Amino acid sequence: MPQTSDLMPVEEHLAQILDACAALPPRVETVDVVDAHGCVLAQAVTSAIDVPAFASSAMDGYAVRRAETEHARPDEPVLLPVAGDIPAGRTDRLALEPGTTLRIMTGAPVPDGADAIVPVEDTDRGTSTVAVRVAPRPAAHVRPAGDDVRAGQVVLGRGTLVDARVLALLVSLGRPRVDVVRPPRVAVLSTGDELVEPGATAGHGTVVDSNGPMLVAALREHGFAAERVRAVADDEPGFRRRLDEVVAGHDAVITTGGVSAGAYDTVKAVLSASGEVTFRGVAMQPGKPQGFGVLGAPDGRRVPVFTLPGNPVSSMVSYLVFVAPALRLLAGQEAAGLAGVVAVTDEGWRTPVGRTQLARVVLDQRPDGLHARLAGGQGSHMLGALAHADALAVVPAEVGEVQAGTRLTCLLLRPRPAEEVTHDPAR
Ligand code: AMP
Ligand code: MG
């Protein structure tokens, strides 16, 4: 049995990070309403107006007084003179004279006196006189003012993430500015003497900095503002300088590399000596060496710093498990992690006792349910398997060998195909 008692359980490390981040003040700002996209509402939003602002037609047709058309039938149409047209965008107030009709387009204001719209399909489409062939129901195809939102109504709660749909609603309320929590600005700082810049080819003894672009991309996919800082060498004063710079200019910092027990583990050397970051082994594979701390910026802000291990798979898994939920808290959201599904393993594999394994798996939907198999090599440097995986299968710490046919929770790395998530009662 390996010695594992000094490793901290995944949930405990996460809980400590979330506690620390929950205590940090959110970055509340007043922004132009269209710039609220991707932000979280800092206050509930009450509408000052009715939406729609006026009664409008839901169809292209004819505005009528219903009583004048109630006897219309296909074989006995009611004839009405067409007194004019109301296209969408007409802003003057029109009245419908008794015994006439006005041709009206979708979205145009319903004239005073009209109480129903006869769709063009129920007429002969006349332009000087129209034959109404079907009697409209009361208020047919009239969208009343305020039938979407009423003035005074609380429309959106505090904490709502402004996505495309919420943004459309906010804009329709006619408010120019809105108070929001801005998503954190996150710096990604890779460390290692061996690193060469993305775009270069690795030679003997060098490695392309894949962590930097990977984490920036993941941050952006999650709606955070991210900036990659050019990788720094394993040089303590150089790392310190660069770290202080990014702490001064960002709301959170992610470093990768230099946190193990090696002789050149710069991040750990600098930040454990100063006591600003707590380093520990977490009972997880990949991603055992972890560090987290909150540093002070020159302007008094407190900036969480996540020091992730350098192996790319470890970095990514650490980001997904620890960093993304913490950043969501900073962004004013719930600290949600990855969504899970249950799948049955098609094969067995050995896993370390005492560490929760997050195995990279491919999922396959079959008639008897969801199946999982390893996506490829499970080494923490193996980006191939990570790139092809659909999910991270969670193997509990006490398990030493996964048997084929085991049900495992699989944390989704990408959305499932629609046919697999659609509920089909015929099945
Ligand atoms: P470290 O955590 O610094 O001991 O690095 C562990 C392993 O990850 C080593 O093989 C490094 O070369 C590799 N590594 C560290 N940083 C990166 C990076 N930014 N991109 C790709 N591989 C890295
Ligand atoms: Mg290193």
Side-chain angles (χ1 to χ4, degrees):
M1 218 29 206
Q3 186 56 46
T4 54
S5 55
D6 54 337
L7 298 182
M8 178 173 277
V10 175
E11 305 71 40
E12 220 168 294
H13 183 60
L14 176 62
Q16 288 191 8
I17 289 174
L18 295 183
D19 280 353
C21 289
L24 298 173
R27 192 160 69 105
V28 176
E29 281 177 32
T30 305
V31 298
D32 288 348
V33 65
V34 290
D35 295 332
H37 181 220
C39 301
V40 159
L41 297 177
Q43 285 155 13
V45 170
T46 303
S47 183
I49 58 164
D50 280 348
V51 182
F54 59 93
S56 66
S57 176
M59 297 287 274
D60 292 328
Y62 296 83
V64 298
R65 291 170 192 271
R66 202 179 73 86
E68 296 176 357
T69 53
E70 66 186 341
H71 300 301
R73 296 213 321 253
D75 54 345
E76 229 172 292
V78 170
L79 300 181
L80 289 171
V82 180
D85 275 1
I86 318 178
R90 221 151 140 184
T91 54
D92 52 339
R93 268 205 114 91
L94 292 171
L96 179 68
E97 295 304 324
T100 71
T101 183
L102 285 160
R103 200 159 69 124
I104 189 166
M105 311 306 149
T106 304
V110 174
D112 293 341
D115 54 7
I117 306 297
V118 179
V120 284
E121 293 82 353
D122 292 345
T123 72
D124 67 350
R125 300 169 189 257
T127 52
S128 54
T129 299
V130 67
V132 173
R133 294 179 171 140
V134 180
R137 294 173 187 282
H141 308 299
V142 174
R143 289 181 178 157
D147 78 337
D148 188 4
V149 174
R150 285 257 166 232
Q153 184 183 334
V154 178
V155 182
L156 292 162
R158 178 168 172 259
T160 303
L161 176 64
V162 182
D163 60 11
R165 293 167 297 126
V166 172
L167 183 64
L169 178 56
L170 262 183
V171 169
S172 74
L173 302 179
R175 46 171 61 219
R177 314 262 294 158
V178 60
D179 293 338
V180 296
V181 180
R182 296 287 297 268
R185 298 160 300 178
V186 187
V188 176
L189 175 53
S190 306
T191 71
D193 280 341
E194 72 278 33
L195 300 181
V196 296
E197 284 293 290
T201 305
H204 183 72
T206 66
V207 173
V208 180
D209 172 19
S210 58
N211 288 348
M214 171 181 72
L215 291 173
V216 165
L219 287 158
R220 290 184 181 156
E221 284 174 10
H222 289 152
F224 308 121
E227 187 194 354
R228 174 177 171 266
V229 180
R230 200 183 165 84
V232 294
D234 290 316
D235 151 52
E236 294 185 16
F239 168 70
R240 178 82 243 185
R241 246 190 336 270
R242 190 64 61 79
L243 179 67
D244 290 343
E245 276 167 29
V246 294
V247 164
H250 295 83
D251 303 309
V253 177
I254 303 172
T255 69
T256 71
V259 294
S260 319
Y264 299 90
D265 281 326
T266 312
V267 174
K268 190 175 187 176
V270 169
L271 292 172
S272 57
S274 69
E276 293 163 290
V277 167
T278 304
F279 292 89
R280 59 170 60 114
V282 174
M284 169 164 130
Q285 187 204 49
K288 182 171 81 161
Q290 296 287 337
F292 172 76
V294 180
L295 274 61
D299 60 2
R301 286 174 312 113
R302 290 162 63 232
V303 178
V305 175
F306 305 85
T307 63
L308 309 185
N311 272 305
V313 181
S314 313
S315 268
M316 189 65 194
V317 169
S318 304
Y319 167 77
L320 293 169
V321 173
F322 301 120
V323 184
L327 294 179
R328 289 199 180 98
L329 278 187
L330 295 189
Q333 304 172 31
E334 303 263 309
L338 298 173
V341 294
V342 173
V344 175
T345 57
D346 275 348
E347 61 185 318
W349 67 87
R350 296 187 62 77
T351 83
V353 174
R355 291 166 69 185
T356 302
Q357 188 192 35
L358 295 164
R360 278 69 72 204
V361 296
V362 172
L363 298 177
D364 184 21
Q365 180 71 42
R366 300 209 206 115
D368 67 337
L370 200 57
H371 289 247
R373 63 185 158 77
L374 293 177
Q378 297 291 306
S380 52
H381 60 298
M382 291 180 163
L383 285 171
L386 180 66
H388 289 109
D390 295 315
L392 300 171
V394 182
V395 183
E398 64 276 10
V399 174
E401 185 159 4
V402 176
Q403 308 288 334
T406 306
R407 288 164 64 82
L408 292 179
T409 296
C410 296
L411 306 175
L412 294 175
L413 295 172
R414 48 173 149 247
R416 303 292 303 146
E419 71 269 18
E420 294 177 9
V421 293
T422 306
H423 173 65
D424 179 359
R427 258 191 202 165

